[in-house]
Amino acid sequence: MLTVCGSNPNGFAALGLVVSAIAFLFAVAVVGAAARRLPQASTVVYGGTAAACALIALWAAVGLAGGGPDAALVLPVGLPWIQAHLRADALSAVFLIVVNLGGITASLFGWGYERAHHESHGGSQDGPVLPLYPLFLAGMNMVLIAADAFTFLLSWEFMSLASWLLVLSTHRDPDTPKAARLYIIMASFGTACLLLAFGVLATAHGDYSFAAIRAHAPEAGAAALVVVLILLGAGSKAGLVPLHVWLPLAHPAAPSHVSALMSGVMTKVAVYAMIRVLFDLLGEPEWWWGGVTMGFGALTAVMGVLYALMQDDVKRLLAYSTVENIGAIVIALGLALVFKAAHTPVIAALALAAALLHVVNHSLFKSLLFFAAGAMLTATGSRDLNRLGGLIHRMPTTAVLALIGAAAISALPPLNGFVGEWLLFQAILNAPALSEWSLKIEIAVVGAALALATALAGACFVRLYSIAFLGRPRSRAAAEAVEVGRAMRLGMAVPAVLCVVLGVLPTPLIRLFEPALRLLVEAGPFDGRAYQPWFWLAPTSAIGNSYNGLIMLVVIALLSVVLVLGIHRKASDRVRWSIPWGCGFDGPDPAAVTQYSASSFGQPIRRAFGSTVFRARDHVDMPAPGDTRPARLSVTWTDPAWAVVVEPLAGAVGWLAEKANRLQFLTIRRYLTLMFLALVVLLVMVAVTQR
């Protein structure tokens, strides 16, 4: 029997529309599996997926514009005594827009990406991807509308397995099996932590629906355990340090449009899980929840950007950059928890609005940059920065769009990345409103760490863009590159345009967040102020700052025009000859080898930060006089998380597996004895918990 409930059961608010769109994604997956070798299969799969995502995103946007949707369904599936509870509220709607907007742009780019590989390789290269791609998006959407622990965990695991199989679609790459194996281990660890967290939340009443959990807030000790488990479980999927180790391996291994979804969208589903539990299901927060969360976020932001600065693989650099941006989002969530616990809901709403804005922004510019990486890979066959260069002449459209993405992620005005960072710093600067001196000091340190991460992110993407697109080609493939097709360029253009629009006019989007903010912190970021125009961002703040993207855009444009005119008027047109700088080489050598490389560009920062944190070392092989071998420079570094977390755990798992292997050789009598003892232990546990 199907049960429908909700306060606004009109056509847009009916959750059945979203469920039908998700069911359509499953149908598209079946078509993709049956016809994946046909030339038209990619058109059907990517077109159908984009249509379903557009429908869900439109439903969510209209629901938010109307004050926030509140529709629910109870489906007669799942465990007999639980069923499947589905619900979409304002928080779900925000993330439904993020997930499905990413699905639309990834589908458009993926269609062109598959066609390019089909034409260049004489056959479909995305065959294994076609049936899994819509399933991945269906799984993420199911997580967002799940309203009980069983449905949530089932959808979460479905999302993880679909993305794992998408990573394995490039199994011919020798690095893929290792990446996929580590990903499935970390995904299983995260699911186990979430399972334990929901078990603790439902222990007191035995009801796994979110409504029942919300009505029975756990005691302080149980709540503390849930906070730790949710940071471990959802944090491992989002990429919090030191649980990030799978991300830079798995994200680059997948096809580029899938990498964009995993990095720009799937990590936001993990952020949704954090918000749902910490702000909604756990009840009134304690101040230390936010302190711990901010600490993890600051560590993640700084370490993530340092990791990125030492990468020469474009997609791995972007994956590590995602770690840094997730750190910024988690800092904002920690601030919101702190201010909510301090009973300053308006500033809590400001911090949470900064988190949601950065969620949207990162999904846009990170998808754009992964698409640009896919375009470079399609045109040159390489992801190595040291084999690129000069692509601005061969791929001008991609170069312009990638420049927008690089500037946005570097938080340059007037793009959306700047607005998100600006709003987050507004929340940080309100720390004097707190009474706890320990929190004031921590927030000051976290603010400094965030400023450092932002500056290093700028250096990181100057390095990426200049090495890949400027200078001379460093390989024949880069010199012979051609611009990618229209579909791929359009897939990049949509998020690029949105990066500009949301940077210039962020206020309408933030006002769209208001129903979710009032649901979670019972306030909005504009409370206490008179109505502000749609082009002016002036949130409630103790320091009273404001932002006008239109004015900033006009000022930057005018200054640019004045600068160009001044240079052309004042510069001499007389031809002057001089020997160009040869990067330390004697004489004007036009060879590409005389340019700065990716390694040399990052060497100062690598030596300043990485020599101690990552044990980064430069190894120079300099031949003796008379030896005709070329000199070689190699760089080695170590991720501390591998030494501190992964290797000890891997050793422990190996030891346990070796010991458990003896169970294969027991007699029947000993097997029966073990089963009897296990039954006794379970009965004792039940007896204890039922007291």
Side-chain angles (χ1 to χ4, degrees):
M1 181 177 180
L2 181 67
T3 304
V4 182
C5 53
S7 61
N8 187 16
N10 60 42
F12 278 108
L15 191 55
L17 188 67
V18 176
V19 176
S20 299
I22 294 174
F24 181 73
L25 289 174
F26 279 93
V28 170
V30 172
V31 173
R36 63 191 181 95
R37 298 189 182 278
L38 298 179
Q40 299 82 7
S42 63
T43 302
V44 173
V45 169
Y46 290 118
T49 301
C53 290
L55 182 63
I56 298 174
L58 178 63
W59 180 91
V62 171
L64 282 175
D70 185 12
L73 290 174
V74 180
L75 302 179
V77 295
L79 296 180
W81 60 92
I82 294 180
Q83 298 179 320
H85 296 257
L86 306 177
R87 182 169 181 255
D89 57 12
L91 178 63
S92 302
V94 171
F95 283 87
L96 283 172
I97 293 174
V98 173
V99 167
N100 291 285
L101 182 59
I104 294 169
T105 56
S107 298
L108 181 57
F109 183 88
W111 179 61
Y113 184 81
E114 196 279 337
R115 288 186 64 188
H117 281 268
H118 180 86
E119 294 170 0
S120 61
H121 296 281
S124 177
Q125 300 297 304
D126 266 7
V129 174
L130 292 181
L132 296 169
Y133 177 78
L135 292 180
F136 182 33
L137 281 160
M140 289 190 285
N141 280 292
M142 289 192 300
V143 171
L144 300 179
I145 63 172
D148 66 74
F150 178 79
T151 305
F152 183 94
L153 290 171
L154 181 66
S155 303
W156 183 276
E157 194 66 7
F158 186 87
M159 172 188 72
S160 299
L161 289 174
S163 56
W164 174 65
L165 291 171
L166 284 167
V167 171
L168 275 176
S169 65
T170 59
H171 59 89
R172 292 181 180 86
D173 189 325
D175 295 331
T176 295
K178 177 184 177 182
R181 182 168 60 252
L182 181 59
Y183 176 36
I184 198 64
I185 291 172
M186 294 301 297
S188 301
F189 168 78
T191 303
C193 290
L194 292 175
L195 177 63
L196 291 173
F198 285 119
V200 172
L201 286 171
T203 296
H205 47 85
D207 192 335
Y208 287 88
S209 68
F210 287 176
I213 293 174
R214 197 177 290 114
H216 299 83
E219 297 179 355
L225 179 59
V226 171
V227 171
V228 173
L229 289 172
I230 201 68
L231 287 177
L232 292 175
S236 65
K237 182 70 71 179
L240 283 182
V241 172
L243 304 173
H244 68 285
V245 289
W246 65 273
L247 191 146
L249 298 178
H251 286 200
S256 295
H257 56 299
V258 176
S259 299
L261 282 181
M262 292 180 68
S263 196
V265 175
M266 185 181 71
T267 55
K268 309 311 177 301
V269 178
V271 172
Y272 165 82
M274 293 183 195
I275 298 175
R276 177 63 71 189
V277 175
L278 296 177
F279 287 86
D280 185 19
L281 301 182
L282 270 181
E284 194 66 23
E286 299 286 342
W287 65 268
W288 66 266
W289 299 4
V292 172
T293 304
M294 281 192 296
F296 269 109
L299 176 66
T300 300
V302 174
M303 295 293 285
V305 72
L306 288 176
Y307 289 132
L309 276 163
M310 292 187 289
Q311 303 304 311
D312 293 339
D313 184 307
V314 175
K315 291 179 72 174
R316 185 168 293 188
L317 182 154
L318 294 176
Y320 272 122
S321 170
T322 294
V323 174
E324 181 257 331
N325 282 273
I326 288 296
I329 294 170
V330 172
I331 288 174
L333 295 182
L335 283 169
L337 284 171
V338 166
F339 287 119
K340 184 179 180 181
H343 304 291
T344 53
V346 175
I347 305 178
L350 175 63
L352 190 55
L356 295 179
L357 183 60
H358 205 67
V359 163
V360 175
N361 291 341
H362 181 254
S363 70
L364 292 173
F365 54 62
K366 186 50 60 72
S367 295
L368 169 58
L369 289 169
F370 265 109
F371 294 157
M376 289 187 282
L377 178 61
T378 301
T380 66
S382 177
R383 301 185 329 217
D384 186 355
L385 280 173
N386 293 309
R387 296 188 58 79
L388 301 176
L391 295 181
I392 192 171
H393 302 292
R394 308 296 300 175
M395 305 172 68
T397 303
T398 299
V400 171
L401 297 174
L403 179 60
I404 293 174
I409 201 171
S410 301
L412 295 180
L415 301 174
N416 61 342
F418 172 80
V419 182
E421 299 277 359
W422 178 85
L423 202 63
L424 178 52
F425 278 108
Q426 298 307 301
I428 289 174
L429 292 173
N430 278 281
L434 298 170
S435 59
E436 289 281 345
W437 275 99
S438 59
L439 284 176
K440 293 181 182 181
I441 295 172
E442 182 187 4
I443 291 175
V445 173
V446 167
L450 181 63
L452 174 63
T454 303
L456 292 176
C460 178
F461 284 93
V462 167
R463 173 177 179 264
L464 169 63
Y465 191 84
S466 61
I467 299 298
F469 289 97
L470 306 181
R472 295 185 292 274
R474 293 172 173 82
S475 66
R476 176 171 294 182
E480 297 175 353
V482 295
E483 186 62 271
V484 294
R486 292 182 180 178
M488 296 173 70
R489 283 179 282 165
L490 184 58
M492 291 185 282
V494 172
V497 169
L498 289 175
C499 285
V500 177
V501 171
L502 295 183
V504 175
L505 302 173
T507 305
L509 178 62
I510 297 174
R511 291 197 178 278
L512 203 63
F513 296 156
E514 289 246 11
L517 299 175
R518 297 192 182 279
L519 174 69
L520 299 173
V521 296
E522 300 178 351
F526 301 102
D527 288 0
R529 281 190 180 272
Y531 176 76
Q532 295 291 334
W534 54 271
F535 53 84
W536 198 283
L537 178 57
T540 300
S541 170
I543 54 177
N545 284 342
S546 60
Y547 168 82
N548 190 309
L550 284 173
I551 293 178
M552 186 167 288
L553 177 63
V554 171
V555 169
I556 291 175
L558 289 177
L559 290 176
S560 300
V561 171
V562 170
L563 180 64
V564 171
L565 291 177
I567 291 174
H568 280 279
R569 287 182 177 273
K570 299 296 183 181
S572 172
D573 58 357
R574 186 163 53 98
V575 177
R576 289 170 292 178
W577 295 92
S578 63
I579 299 176
W581 166 245
C583 300
F585 288 82
D586 292 332
D589 188 349
V593 73
T594 63
Q595 303 178 101
Y596 273 108
S597 66
S599 297
S600 60
F601 195 108
Q603 186 187 59
I605 296 176
R606 185 172 66 246
R607 287 185 172 178
F609 294 98
S611 58
T612 54
V613 178
F614 304 111
R615 290 182 289 177
R617 299 291 183 269
D618 296 346
H619 304 278
V620 179
D621 178 17
M622 182 64 68
D627 192 338
T628 58
R629 290 185 302 111
R632 299 288 183 184
L633 169 68
S634 61
V635 179
T636 60
W637 61 280
T638 303
D639 187 341
W642 279 94
V644 176
V645 177
V646 177
E647 291 177 357
L649 285 178
V653 170
W655 181 83
L656 289 173
E658 183 180 353
K659 298 299 181 183
N661 191 45
R662 298 178 182 178
L663 295 176
Q664 299 183 62
F665 307 103
L666 297 180
T667 62
I668 295 295
R669 182 181 300 175
R670 291 183 177 179
Y671 278 128
L672 294 174
T673 303
L674 286 176
M675 294 173 63
F676 175 74
L677 291 176
L679 179 61
V680 170
V681 171
L682 288 174
L683 290 174
V684 170
M685 292 175 62
V686 170
V688 170
T689 56
Q690 293 300 319
R691 287 184 177 181

